[in-house]
Amino acid sequence: AYTTDAKSREENKKTIESLYRLSVDVKKIRRLKEWVLLQDVAYVKEIAGILQEMGADETTVANILERCPEAVLHTPAEINSQRAVWQLVCQNEKQLIKLIEQFPESFFTTEYHENQKANILFFQELGLKNNIITRFLTSAPSIFYNPVEKNKNVIETLQRNYLSLGGSDANMKTWILKLLSQNPFILLNSSTAIQENLEFLQKNDFTDHEVLQLLSKLKGFIFQLSSTTMQKSMLFSKNVFKCSDQELKQLVLKCPALLYYSVPVLEERLEGLLKEGISVVQIRETPMVLELTTQIVQYRIKKLSALGYDIKSGTLESLNGTKKDFEVNYGKIQSKKERPIFNPVAPINIED
């Protein structure tokens, strides 16, 4: 724990001089993380030396230390250990320094060396490619703080459930790797939570095959929910769409967002659609439209209206999908509108 009481401490002049020598913007550090400058011991010169040794030029070193000044509070031994751990998945030091420049906070969290190393080796054994593991290290570093046994436990729970839901041995590895690549945060859940959520779906009459389908469609995010929130969301949809349990199940399979989003989110999105003059019947036919935020829906309706497309009388399919999907649909509607109608029996005017 570092001291943060600025009044009782003075800035470390040696630290500041060393940072100035490296062309680091000290004012920026003072503004954002002044506590770093108050510490009695810092290893500015040594940490800069390690980064230069890895191939970082002066600008890169300054950039890294401005973004993550607490790097200088780690000992050279700690940083060299971290360097060795990350080299297990980096092709070379050039790639490593590029990652450190982009994600300094992830690299300079050095308290979990042993766990990081054990987890990297476990992920490699599992069959995850190094580029995926580096993506995890930078964007989901917290999964490496877990003891490796905890992560193994979660993976084993997923494997066991995959097989009991009718998944095949042959496809299991591919399924697990895909799920992990899409959502590494799945590892932050407990095995009990995973079990409970799967049981909730089965109790709600989803067949084993349908549960597997939902897991894949929701990219494992289902494990970050609780059975209570899922129950509330399903009840809300059932009341809005006035449908039977069987019909509700079909709607959820069509649009897993009905299970994933909380009632306030679904309520807000539904209201936004109704305000645009869209009917509940239209939404029930194309529930995937609830995956979009109200702002996105408004923007898309505006663009389509400018082409003379009336969303109230048409299908909501043209609103759906990713940004790319929408642009493709929009392009088709636009070209249809601009294309002149060709009449094969009209006389052709030929200039003499």
Side-chain angles (χ1 to χ4, degrees), residues 67-106:
R67 281 189 57 199
C68 185
E70 58 270 40
V72 303
L73 303 178
H74 293 290
T75 66
E78 284 174 327
I79 298 309
N80 277 323
S81 297
Q82 186 75 328
R83 175 184 177 180
V85 168
W86 281 47
Q87 275 174 327
L88 293 170
V89 285
C90 286
Q91 292 165 334
N92 48 42
E93 296 215 306
K94 191 181 172 187
Q95 188 200 0
L96 177 53
I97 206 72
K98 205 174 167 187
L99 282 176
I100 297 171
E101 190 178 12
Q102 285 176 295
F103 307 95
E105 287 87 357
S106 299

Side-chain angles (χ1 to χ4, degrees), residues 124-285:
Q124 286 173 330
E125 269 170 46
L126 208 58
L128 276 172
K129 291 192 166 63
N130 283 344
N131 63 328
I132 303 282
I133 301 173
T134 51
R135 201 183 80 213
F136 289 177
L137 276 169
T138 52
S139 60
S142 50
I143 67 169
F144 293 88
Y145 307 162
N146 283 340
V148 72
E149 289 71 29
K150 156 87 170 67
N151 287 341
K152 276 184 180 171
N153 207 342
V154 171
I155 296 293
E156 279 162 15
T157 304
L158 288 168
Q159 288 171 329
R160 198 170 52 247
N161 279 293
Y162 177 76
L163 293 174
S164 73
L165 291 167
S168 70
D169 258 322
N171 294 332
M172 183 170 70
K173 187 181 173 182
T174 311
W175 183 78
I176 288 283
L177 295 182
K178 191 178 177 188
L179 204 58
L180 266 182
S181 307
Q182 289 171 329
N183 178 18
F185 296 105
I186 206 169
L187 294 166
L188 298 180
N189 300 299
S190 69
S191 306
T192 320
I194 291 174
Q195 204 68 50
E196 279 172 5
N197 285 3
L198 292 175
E199 281 167 14
F200 167 80
L201 293 173
Q202 287 169 317
K203 277 177 198 160
N204 277 277
D205 293 330
F206 286 94
T207 65
D208 289 354
H209 175 70
E210 286 165 347
V211 173
L212 271 186
Q213 210 181 317
L214 279 173
L215 291 189
S216 302
K217 275 191 179 177
L218 278 167
K219 300 173 181 165
F221 285 109
I222 196 164
F223 301 128
Q224 279 148 260
L225 306 172
S226 72
S227 51
T228 317
T229 55
M230 288 193 281
Q231 187 74 59
K232 283 178 183 170
S233 297
M234 282 174 76
L235 194 61
F236 172 77
S237 300
K238 190 179 178 181
N239 292 335
V240 165
F241 298 121
K242 297 182 172 50
C243 55
S244 67
D245 288 346
Q246 192 52 37
E247 286 166 335
L248 176 66
K249 202 176 82 162
Q250 291 315 310
L251 282 174
V252 169
L253 288 168
K254 208 172 176 185
C255 174
L258 295 176
L259 196 65
Y260 179 67
Y261 289 120
S262 66
V263 171
V265 172
L266 291 172
E267 229 162 8
E268 186 212 334
R269 293 186 180 185
L270 193 77
E271 272 170 33
L273 289 163
L274 297 176
K275 269 183 195 162
E276 295 294 335
I278 290 163
S279 69
V280 172
V281 174
Q282 281 176 295
I283 300 167
R284 184 175 163 167
E285 279 167 16

